[in-house]
Amino acid sequence: MASDARRLHCDQAPAWAELQSYFDGVGRDLDLRDAFRADPARFDAFSQDAPHVFADLSKNLIDIKAEALLLQLARECGLEQHRDAMFAGEPINVTEGRAVKHWLLRTPRGASSDPDAIEVHATLDAMLAYAEKVRADSAITDVVNIGIGGSDLGPQMAVLALEEFAVPGKRFHFVSNVDGHELASVLRQVRPESTLFLIASKTFTTVETMTNAQSARTWFEAQGGRDVARHFAALTTNIAAAADFDITTTFGFWDWVGGRYSLWSAIGLPIAIAIGTERFRELLAGAHAMDRHFATSPLARNLPVRLGVLDVWYRNFHGFASRSIAPYHSALKRLPAYLQQLEMESNGKRVDMQGMPLAQASSPVLWGEPGTNGQHAYFQMLHQGTDRVPVEFIAVKHAGHTLAGHHGQLLANGLAQAQALMQGKADRGGHRDFPGNRPSTFFVFDRLDPATLGAFLALYEHRVFVSGSLWGLNSFDQWGVELGKVLAKALVPRLDAGDVAGLDASTAGLLKRLTPRH
Ligand code: F6P
């Protein structure tokens, strides 16, 4: 399929109508407890291995017929052609006229004939050599990443997730917010002579990042810091802007890497410094294994596809508006925030490729906290609230610590929550009743290591691709972030001056409250 403009609207595909009547007749009322009783092979039918990740989908409100229809829908909508177009480097990001090639960043040397492959590997080699130099430099004790969105969430999440593998003697800090409290707090903890600042910005124009970078630079010089070349590096596609900032150590990437898909590029430098060359290559290899799985597995055994069509089933037929992420591993603390950007910035769209309104709902809200913490906060609502929210559990078989008695409790709690959501409990009625039949997916990792993390993140990227593709939207632009940026820019001088002329009454009233002059 050469052009996305010709992609079929899925709601007009024959399978959509069939799904609707199947949902109205049977699907809506599927009861998981009955489904397990009726089909002893249900667990096997709805669970599968994919590279580094095992997934149990059997506690979802789906049956073999519904999944078959959803896969038929995917075929009718040209999902496979769309996927192949991405992997062929076609400009499927139609609103920006760009290819979508984050997968190339993790393709092994020599395995792709893409014209950018050579440059990708040359940059990766240079970045990893630099990472090794920093790792070996005991005078550098603190690495401060200044970036926001995709230039923050991925590296921050991964450095935390892979803490067990991190080089000793270095602390990692992540400054994203334009709120000066964040940078000020980090600057109080570091010294110029032992700090490396990484200015991470795809565009090198993002106001938050530029403001923080400027302040860091001013602080560095005011504290007697010397040798900007040694203490500042830029990670960006905009090499010229980095040079204007007088940064000479720069690692580039390309406009075909979306911000939220960029941790595999130079944006991953903090990860590479933390875990080193070999481990960083394992992260890439894990993601690549998942890329191959997505590109080549039959749809019925293709995990990103099975998850993506389930997302469509839940959002458009069941009408579920949110999904909760429950990593039962505290090192995955920032995973929900990372996945929020990945899914909601990709698929939080209301128009199709041509800018025409979509006929159906798109991205759900993603949210979550690590288990068991969530159990003592919002799980009440998941078990007994009026809404049904699909929950995604992530459990890791082997702990990365040796403390006795913890890991078994952690895993048992994750299993128990999924069990409770499904089973429910009839008690004396009223407050003590659990309705059950609440859906969940359960992911199992053997270990939380770089390869597994890479595979899981790629799985999620592709799953978001699948639902976005079926919804017929462009998962790779983000026009919705622009308006607020423009308005904020206009309000900055007004706040200083207390100027409310022409503003709506609410913004005017609030600005007066906030303006320092009043
Ligand atoms: O405003 C949203 C956004 O463009 C994200 O898509 C992106 O990850 C983030 O800002 C940061 O952008 P940059 O890396 O160009 O500073």
Side-chain angles (χ1 to χ4, degrees):
M1 180 167 310
S3 162
D4 280 306
R6 294 204 302 274
R7 300 191 62 243
L8 178 67
H9 278 210
C10 286
D11 62 299
Q12 289 158 21
W16 189 279
E18 281 190 64
L19 277 161
Q20 190 62 60
S21 58
Y22 189 65
F23 178 77
D24 293 340
V26 181
R28 187 199 311 271
D29 300 321
L30 184 138
D31 189 300
L32 288 167
R33 298 153 292 198
D34 295 343
F36 275 102
R37 269 191 293 272
D39 180 6
R42 184 176 168 85
F43 175 75
D44 293 329
F46 286 101
S47 62
Q48 77 165 90
D49 275 302
H52 303 284
V53 178
F54 174 80
D56 173 21
L57 278 64
S58 66
K59 290 203 223 50
N60 281 293
L61 302 171
I62 193 163
D63 58 14
I64 288 176
K65 173 88 195 272
E67 189 177 58
L69 283 172
L70 286 161
L71 296 177
Q72 186 187 324
L73 178 73
R75 277 185 211 98
E76 287 175 7
C77 297
L79 172 71
E80 291 149 294
Q81 291 88 336
H82 194 206
R83 172 199 64 192
D84 296 347
M86 174 175 75
F87 284 119
E90 287 181 31
I92 63 164
N93 174 357
V94 290
T95 59
E96 297 179 313
R98 291 176 182 165
V100 172
K101 299 199 291 188
H102 46 275
W103 50 268
L104 185 61
L105 300 166
R106 54 230 189 184
T107 303
R109 195 186 304 275
S112 169
S113 56
D114 188 282
D116 291 320
I118 290 173
E119 217 189 313
V120 162
H121 281 280
T123 308
L124 176 62
D125 291 346
M127 172 187 122
L128 291 175
Y130 178 76
E132 289 302 334
K133 211 175 81 187
V134 175
R135 281 164 68 82
D137 186 346
S138 57
I140 297 291
T141 55
D142 292 88
V143 177
V144 179
N145 190 81
I146 295 181
I148 196 164
S151 301
D152 165 68
L153 290 164
Q156 188 186 153
M157 173 273 298
V159 166
L160 201 71
L162 301 175
E163 205 172 26
E164 191 190 332
F165 303 92
V167 62
K170 297 209 193 299
R171 298 184 299 173
F172 291 84
H173 312 266
F174 290 85
V175 175
S176 55
N177 204 319
V178 75
D179 178 351
H181 295 102
E182 197 172 46
L183 179 62
S185 156
V186 170
L187 293 180
R188 277 197 296 274
Q189 301 167 48
V190 300
R191 286 171 300 123
E193 63 278 13
S194 54
T195 301
L196 171 63
F197 291 96
L198 301 176
I199 313 302
S201 175
K202 178 178 170 181
T203 55
F204 230 73
T205 57
T206 303
V207 171
E208 291 92 330
T209 302
M210 293 302 103
T211 307
N212 281 322
Q214 193 57 60
S215 299
R217 176 75 179 275
T218 305
W219 170 89
F220 179 78
E221 278 157 8
Q223 297 291 310
R226 275 187 207 99
D227 200 354
V228 170
R230 177 169 143 76
H231 291 278
F232 282 79
L235 321 173
T236 185
T237 59
N238 190 350
I239 313 271
D244 287 347
F245 203 85
D246 282 339
I247 298 184
T248 47
T249 311
T250 302
F251 298 96
F253 58 110
W254 304 270
D255 70 357
W256 44 258
V257 184
R260 53 193 173 274
Y261 299 87
S262 66
L263 74 84
W264 323 99
S265 72
I267 293 294
L269 180 58
I271 311 171
I273 296 174
I275 65 174
T277 297
E278 203 180 317
R279 298 285 191 188
F280 192 81
R281 288 197 187 277
E282 287 168 13
L283 177 86
L284 299 182
H288 176 68
M290 192 59 78
D291 292 342
R292 297 316 300 150
H293 171 79
F294 179 48
T296 60
S297 300
L299 298 194
R301 299 299 290 170
N302 191 315
L303 189 54
V305 173
R306 297 180 86 184
L307 289 166
V309 298
L310 179 64
D311 293 338
V312 170
W313 178 241
Y314 278 168
R315 187 71 187 102
N316 302 124
F317 296 91
H318 281 280
F320 299 152
S322 100
R323 186 161 87 241
S324 187
I325 315 291
Y328 275 64
H329 195 304
S330 59
L332 293 173
K333 204 178 286 181
R334 295 296 289 162
L335 183 70
Y338 171 80
L339 296 180
Q340 275 176 341
Q341 186 197 13
L342 179 59
E343 187 148 347
M344 294 163 74
E345 201 173 69
S346 295
N347 287 347
K349 315 279 163 71
R350 51 177 284 286
V351 296
D352 67 11
M353 294 276 183
Q354 291 78 46
M356 301 305 287
L358 295 177
Q360 74 287 320
S362 60
S363 178
V365 176
L366 259 69
W367 57 284
E369 284 287 328
T372 60
N373 295 2
Q375 291 173 211
H376 299 274
Y378 52 78
F379 267 59
Q380 163 66 40
M381 181 265 200
L382 298 178
H383 288 292
Q384 290 187 317
T386 50
D387 288 300
R388 278 191 294 178
V389 178
V391 183
E392 254 166 40
F393 294 91
I394 301 165
V396 182
K397 184 172 176 180
H398 298 291
H401 63 80
T402 51
L403 297 173
H406 288 255
H407 205 58
Q409 289 204 45
L410 179 70
L411 296 182
N413 268 279
L415 280 172
Q417 290 300 320
Q419 212 181 9
L421 285 165
M422 173 179 75
Q423 286 180 354
K425 179 168 179 269
D427 204 304
R428 279 160 276 171
H431 303 290
R432 290 167 199 258
D433 269 3
F434 289 71
N437 201 31
R438 301 206 160 191
S440 67
T441 297
F442 208 104
F443 294 107
V444 178
F445 303 168
D446 234 23
R447 309 190 65 89
L448 181 54
D449 57 20
T452 305
L453 184 69
F456 184 73
L457 300 179
L459 168 67
Y460 237 92
E461 288 177 350
H462 297 321
R463 163 203 197 149
V464 167
F465 178 92
V466 170
S467 54
S469 180
L470 265 58
W471 287 325
L473 50 80
N474 182 3
S475 298
F476 299 102
D477 62 11
Q478 56 283 319
W479 300 104
V481 302
E482 296 304 325
L483 179 60
K485 291 184 189 174
V486 172
L487 294 177
K489 197 170 173 192
L491 286 173
V492 171
R494 281 173 173 273
L495 249 177
D496 279 345
D499 171 12
V500 298
L503 293 177
D504 66 85
S506 169
T507 308
L510 293 170
L511 190 140
K512 271 198 246 160
R513 284 249 161 197
L514 288 167
T515 200
R517 291 195 174 191
H518 283 255

